[in-house]
């Protein structure tokens, strides 16, 4: 599902680009997507078989465990008393936990799928920012900004984590696009309803 969303996002982003821009953009996206999937696959393959799942960062453990516990309770799967207490503890309770819980209730437990989902959110957010940047500043500047977002090492590892930031980044990008659309809509509405200037005739001529 996450990969399908990435494909649809890429198709949307390349619309209206020139042939040269399209080639560079697709090459950039293929490398960015491939590296992320390779890193997540490597995390899975190198996981210690004695633990349920591996993590890139320590804080990911909290989100994976909490969403698993809440999902199990919702589906009637028994968990320990200690896990039940931690599952409904208000510490770290946020919309991201609820989102992951719903996703894993629908698709099943996906400790590594969470990483792919977050990578998809980050890539889609980057593309959402790329399109208006291209319209405003041109293809070269927009592609340069996209490359920074996709390949800067700190942002790269952040984008494939199981933390909440990739989802929040997508929400922020959508908010920005909504604000731009609202601003443009107001300008359009003002132009439609504002009285048009009438030509001034010189009656003395």
């Amino acid at each position: 599902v996450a990969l399908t969303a990435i494909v649809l996002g890429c198709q949307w982003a390349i619309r209206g680009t020139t042939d040269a821009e399209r080639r560079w953009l697709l090459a950039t996206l293929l490398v960015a997507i491939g590296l992320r999937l390779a890193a997540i696959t490597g995390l899975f393959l190198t996981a210690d078989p004695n633990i349920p799942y591996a993590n890139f960062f320590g804080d990911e453990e909290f989100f994976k465990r909490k969403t698993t516990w809440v999902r199990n309770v919702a589906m009637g799967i028994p968990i320990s008393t200690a896990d039940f207490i931690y599952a409904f503890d208000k510490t770290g309770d946020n919309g991201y936990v609820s989102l992951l819980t719903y996703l894993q209730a629908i698709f099943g437990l996906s400790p590594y799928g969470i990483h792919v989902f977050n990578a998809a959110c980050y890539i889609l957010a980057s593309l959402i920012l790329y399109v208006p940047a291209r319209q405003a500043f041109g293809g070269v500047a927009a592609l340069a900004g996209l490359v920074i977002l996709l390949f800067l090492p700190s942002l790269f590892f952040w984008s494939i984590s199981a933390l909440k930031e990739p989802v929040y980044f997508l929400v922020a990008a959508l908010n920005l696009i909504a604000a731009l659309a609202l601003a443009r809509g107001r300008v359009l509405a003002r132009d439609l309803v504002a009285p048009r200037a009438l030509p001034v005739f010189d009656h003395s001529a």
Side-chain angles (χ1 to χ4, degrees):
V1 172
L3 293 177
T4 300
I6 292 176
V7 171
L8 294 176
C10 292
Q11 291 178 341
W12 170 73
I14 65 175
R15 288 187 306 176
T17 58
T18 64
D19 290 339
E21 282 180 320
R22 189 176 300 113
R23 287 193 296 270
W24 281 101
L25 179 58
L26 287 176
T28 300
L29 291 173
L30 286 175
V31 173
I33 295 167
L35 288 176
R36 281 164 171 79
L37 293 180
I40 296 169
T41 302
L43 179 68
F44 169 72
L45 294 177
T46 58
D48 185 343
N50 298 316
I51 61 175
Y53 40 73
N55 302 293
F56 287 116
F57 307 103
D59 290 345
E60 294 172 338
E61 186 81 13
F62 167 80
F63 290 108
K64 290 182 179 181
R65 286 186 179 275
K66 187 176 179 69
T67 54
T68 298
W69 295 331
V70 176
R71 170 202 179 263
N72 288 346
V73 171
M75 300 185 71
I77 301 174
I79 63 174
S80 70
T81 302
D83 290 345
F84 185 88
I85 293 173
Y86 283 119
F88 295 97
D89 186 87
K90 293 301 181 181
T91 302
D93 199 9
N94 52 53
Y96 178 64
V97 171
S98 300
L99 175 62
L100 291 187
T101 302
Y102 282 119
L103 289 176
Q104 294 189 102
I106 295 172
F107 299 106
L109 290 177
S110 307
Y112 298 101
I114 293 172
H115 294 276
V116 180
F117 170 73
N118 276 4
C121 289
Y122 187 89
I123 291 171
L124 291 175
S126 300
L127 292 175
I128 289 172
L129 297 178
Y130 164 81
V131 171
R134 178 183 174 275
Q135 296 170 349
F137 305 108
V140 175
L143 184 60
L146 182 64
V147 167
I148 293 173
L149 286 175
L150 294 178
F151 296 106
L152 191 69
S154 58
L155 295 180
F156 175 86
F157 286 104
W158 180 55
S159 71
I160 57 175
S161 72
L163 304 176
K164 63 182 181 295
E165 281 76 14
V167 174
Y168 285 17
F169 181 41
L170 175 60
V171 172
L174 291 172
N175 284 336
L176 176 61
I177 292 301
L180 290 174
L182 181 62
R184 291 170 180 171
R186 285 178 174 174
V187 171
L188 178 61
R190 183 190 63 195
D191 291 342
L192 290 175
V193 301
R196 297 184 179 276
L198 299 176
V200 178
F201 295 99
D202 186 357
H203 295 287
S204 62

